[in-house]
């Protein structure tokens, strides 16, 4: 328990705050990053990226490319719905997003390269086997120089629901940092501990292990410390460190601080009551976790970006694998159980950012590791397919309200120049950095700079 029973001085207390960054004190960290920012103010933009990873591989026909002129067994099993873009339709489940289609862009020629279950859009060859957010943190610093918010964060269901399962890691470690080092791993609130870097107040023989424990400790500390007395005579970085630990950062992870009406608008749990989930599917718990947490995870991601996070990975447990086998549901049921929460959560996110004037500041990327076979299998599912995959982007100051590229008649391959993972990574990097200034940066690994600066972004978005 945090207390002053050991008679620590004000300065000693303020020096113990850390973000689990190898013992560097939070005031020193903030001062160091502020100085770095003053020397290179134009490398990092004032924008953030939220990457909603649709783990399992979403089907292109049932999402953004329904192909209703194709034969039965190829075209969308959920039909189609008109969108706000003339002549453009989506799969029949995505009714809320269809009304907002003029606010975002979809890519119908996106190709991930193979049909393997992995996490290659976030951790793969296009990111030096490191989380994309780790590349950002390597340049921008591990926390925001003013707010102390971790710059790279990963959100899994347990971040908003402690009863949820641990994050799915058997297809790839979201916290991988490649050759960059563990200091740049994503900060993971409420995670399973495999790469947990939960913010904490570090005292001898004591460490707070998760976000809920931290919030409880901070609450007790608030009641036991006179803020002004403790800050009297403190320098600005010590004061900033105190304010960061006393609520500025921790409050961002606490959804009880949000307007209840906003929480209700995001909430996807009512869409799929547990009694609707047939337990004959081995992955029934995954569907429940997705429905219970997806909306709130996106809400938390928005709150974190508002307070300085630069890259936030959001993913629920493995749910987009619509094979129609003993583990996974067929496409039609999958779009009800998984697609409907996606439609609700992402539309709520877009409307929220539009209302808050944040559409220029935050880029949302939605895709999985692959797409699905053009033709249904015998049980009404679609199998692994690397030839085409759905991709949606919103905000970030990019050009929205368009359909980029076209697919072949059966929705199996790009019919125009393919958009690849390299293009997507470059688009993210151009959003987060001034690429011209980044090319001139010193002290960064040459291979990392090459990866971040040499690929071309999706040109229609720029």
């Amino acid at each position: 328990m945090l207390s002053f029973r050991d008679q620590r001085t004000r300065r000693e207390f303020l020096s113990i705050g850390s973000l689990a960054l190898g013992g560097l004190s939070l005031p020193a960290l903030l001062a160091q990053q502020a100085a770095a920012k003053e020397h290179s103010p134009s490398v990092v933009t004032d924008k953030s990226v939220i990457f909603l990873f649709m783990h399992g591989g979403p089907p292109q026909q049932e999402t953004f490319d329904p192909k209703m002129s194709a034969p039965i067994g190829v075209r969308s099993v959920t039909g189609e719905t008109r969108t706000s873009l003339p002549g453009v339709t989506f799969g029949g489940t995505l009714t809320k997003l269809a009304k907002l289609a003029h606010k975002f862009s979809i890519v119908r020629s996106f190709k991930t390269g193979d049909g393997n279950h992995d996490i290659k859009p976030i951790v793969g060859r296009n990111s030096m086997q490191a989380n994309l957010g780790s590349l950002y943190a390597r340049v921008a610093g591990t926390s925001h120089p003013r707010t102390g918010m971790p710059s790279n964060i990963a959100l899994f269901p347990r971040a908003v629901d402690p009863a949820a399962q641990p994050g799915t890691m058997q297809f790839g470690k979201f916290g991988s940092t490649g050759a960059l080092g563990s200091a740049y791993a994503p900060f993971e609130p409420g995670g399973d501990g495999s790469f947990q870097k939960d913010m904490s107040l570090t005292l001898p023989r004591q460490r707070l292990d998760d976000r809920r424990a931290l919030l409880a400790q901070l609450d007790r500390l608030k009641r036991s410390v006179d803020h002004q007395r403790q800050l009297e005579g403190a320098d600005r970085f010590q004061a900033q460190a105190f304010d960061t630990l006393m609520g500025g950062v921790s409050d961002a992870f606490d959804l009880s601080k949000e307007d209840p009406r906003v929480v209700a608008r995001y909430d996807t749990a009512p869409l799929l009551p547990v009694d609707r989930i047939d337990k004959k599917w081995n992955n029934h718990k995954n569907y429940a976790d997705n429905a219970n947490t997806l909306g709130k995870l996106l809400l938390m991601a928005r709150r974190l970006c508002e307070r300085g996070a630069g890259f936030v990975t959001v993913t629920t447990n493995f749910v987009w694998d619509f094979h129609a086998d003993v583990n996974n549901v067929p496409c039609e049921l999958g779009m009800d159980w998984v697609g409907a929460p996606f439609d609700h959560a992402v539309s709520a996110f877009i409307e929220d950012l539009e209302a808050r004037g944040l559409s220029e500041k935050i880029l949302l990327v939605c895709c999985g590791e692959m797409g699905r076979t053009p033709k249904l299998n015998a049980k009404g599912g679609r199998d692994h397919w690397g030839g085409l995959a759905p991709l949606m982007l919103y905000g970030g100051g990019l050009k929205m309200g368009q359909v980029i590229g076209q697919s072949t008649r059966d929705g199996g391959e790009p019919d125009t120049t393919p958009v690849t993972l390299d293009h997507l990574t470059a688009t993210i990097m151009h959003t987060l950095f001034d690429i011209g200034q980044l090319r001139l940066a010193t002290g960064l690994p040459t291979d990392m700079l090459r990866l971040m600066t040499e690929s071309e972004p999706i040109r229609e978005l720029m």
Side-chain angles (χ1 to χ4, degrees):
M1 178 175 180
L2 294 173
S3 73
F4 286 94
R5 62 180 180 271
D6 55 355
Q7 300 300 308
R8 292 183 180 272
T9 67
R10 169 188 55 77
R11 185 166 294 273
E12 287 172 328
F13 166 72
L14 290 170
S15 70
I16 64 173
S18 78
L19 295 178
L21 296 174
L24 179 64
S25 71
L26 182 54
L29 175 67
L30 295 170
Q32 181 187 82
Q33 292 189 337
K37 189 174 180 64
E38 289 173 4
H39 285 94
S40 57
S42 58
V43 173
V44 178
T45 68
D46 62 348
K47 297 179 181 180
S48 304
V49 170
I50 297 172
F51 201 126
L52 174 52
F53 186 56
M54 303 164 74
H55 206 175
Q60 54 272 24
Q61 286 94 333
E62 282 74 38
T63 52
F64 302 115
D65 196 6
K67 297 296 181 187
M68 296 308 293
S69 62
I72 293 175
V74 172
R75 67 194 187 203
S76 168
V77 298
T78 59
E80 65 181 344
T81 185
R82 293 181 180 179
T83 74
S84 58
L85 295 175
V88 176
T89 63
F90 292 166
T93 305
L94 305 183
T95 56
K96 295 173 182 176
L97 283 173
K99 295 176 182 177
L100 298 169
H102 59 291
K103 296 291 187 181
F104 56 88
S105 291
I106 58 171
V107 180
R108 286 180 170 171
S109 56
F110 179 55
K111 187 171 185 173
T112 62
D114 63 56
N116 297 330
H117 276 316
D118 49 33
I119 57 173
K120 54 183 166 283
I122 296 177
V123 179
R125 64 161 186 82
N126 60 305
S127 65
M128 298 174 56
Q129 303 302 321
N131 185 291
L132 287 173
S134 298
L135 301 182
Y136 175 79
R138 179 64 178 83
V139 178
T142 51
S143 66
H144 193 278
R146 291 192 309 276
T147 68
M149 175 64 69
S151 57
N152 179 24
I153 300 173
L155 298 179
F156 298 90
R158 282 188 176 176
V160 296
D161 181 3
Q165 302 172 98
T168 300
M169 302 294 166
Q170 63 263 42
F171 301 110
K173 302 292 187 181
F174 288 90
S176 295
T177 60
L180 298 180
S182 60
Y184 302 102
F187 176 99
E188 183 198 343
D192 64 1
S194 59
F195 56 93
Q196 179 115 354
K197 289 171 65 70
D198 272 352
M199 197 168 42
S200 66
L201 294 175
T202 304
L203 293 174
R205 300 179 302 280
Q206 181 173 359
R207 182 175 179 84
L208 306 180
D209 292 325
D210 57 35
R211 179 178 59 90
R212 287 173 290 117
L214 171 64
L215 293 175
Q217 298 284 28
L218 288 174
D219 184 62
R220 285 194 288 270
L221 184 59
K222 287 177 183 179
R223 294 195 299 266
S224 66
V225 178
D226 183 304
H227 191 164
Q228 294 303 317
R229 177 174 59 83
Q230 293 300 324
L231 290 182
E232 184 178 356
D235 65 36
R236 72 182 180 96
F237 294 112
Q238 289 175 323
Q240 182 184 338
F242 190 94
D243 287 338
T244 293
L245 295 170
M246 291 295 283
V249 170
S250 61
D251 280 358
F253 291 90
D254 186 356
L255 295 186
S256 70
K257 305 291 185 180
E258 185 62 68
D259 184 336
R261 294 169 296 181
V262 175
V263 177
R265 172 64 183 93
Y266 272 90
D267 193 6
T268 45
L271 299 176
L272 187 61
V274 175
D275 58 9
R276 275 189 57 206
I277 304 175
D278 193 332
K279 293 184 178 180
K280 75 176 183 180
W281 308 103
N282 290 340
N283 284 336
H284 64 90
K285 290 182 180 179
N286 292 6
Y287 304 128
D289 283 348
N290 178 74
N292 287 337
T293 65
L294 178 58
K296 291 180 179 178
L297 288 171
L298 279 179
L299 173 56
M300 180 177 287
R302 185 267 285 168
R303 290 172 58 84
L304 300 178
C305 289
E306 282 183 305
R307 291 159 176 81
F311 192 94
V312 182
T313 302
V314 176
T315 187
T316 58
N317 288 316
F318 193 77
V319 289
W320 286 95
D321 198 20
F322 298 163
H323 281 297
D325 56 18
V326 295
N327 294 315
N328 307 288
V329 294
C331 282
E332 186 171 8
L333 189 56
M335 288 305 295
D336 179 24
W337 288 5
V338 180
F342 174 85
D343 180 56
H344 182 96
V346 176
S347 63
F349 178 88
I350 292 172
E351 291 174 342
D352 191 21
L353 262 64
E354 292 288 323
R356 294 172 184 273
L358 294 173
S359 63
E360 299 289 307
K361 300 293 186 182
I362 299 175
L363 172 64
L364 173 69
V365 178
C366 303
C367 75
E369 68 270 34
M370 60 182 170
R372 292 276 142 189
T373 49
K375 190 173 181 179
L376 292 167
N377 63 33
K379 295 182 179 181
R382 297 188 190 270
D383 300 315
H384 296 190
W385 189 253
L388 198 73
L391 172 61
M392 171 188 166
L393 303 101
Y394 161 78
L398 305 181
K399 295 179 181 178
M400 296 291 108
Q402 58 178 321
V403 175
I404 298 170
Q406 295 297 329
S407 61
T408 53
R409 187 172 180 268
D410 66 353
E413 299 282 346
D415 200 32
T416 55
T417 303
V419 171
T420 67
L421 288 175
D422 287 339
H423 295 121
L424 177 58
T425 299
T427 301
I428 291 170
M429 295 304 157
H430 276 72
T431 299
L432 293 172
F433 301 110
D434 180 323
I435 297 299
Q437 292 296 322
L438 186 58
R439 290 191 179 104
L440 302 175
T442 59
L444 296 173
T446 301
D447 53 347
M448 187 181 89
L449 279 177
R450 185 180 302 115
L451 181 148
M452 297 170 73
T453 62
E454 291 189 356
S455 294
E456 292 296 321
I458 303 172
R459 58 181 177 80
E460 292 90 343
L461 293 174
M462 308 310 288

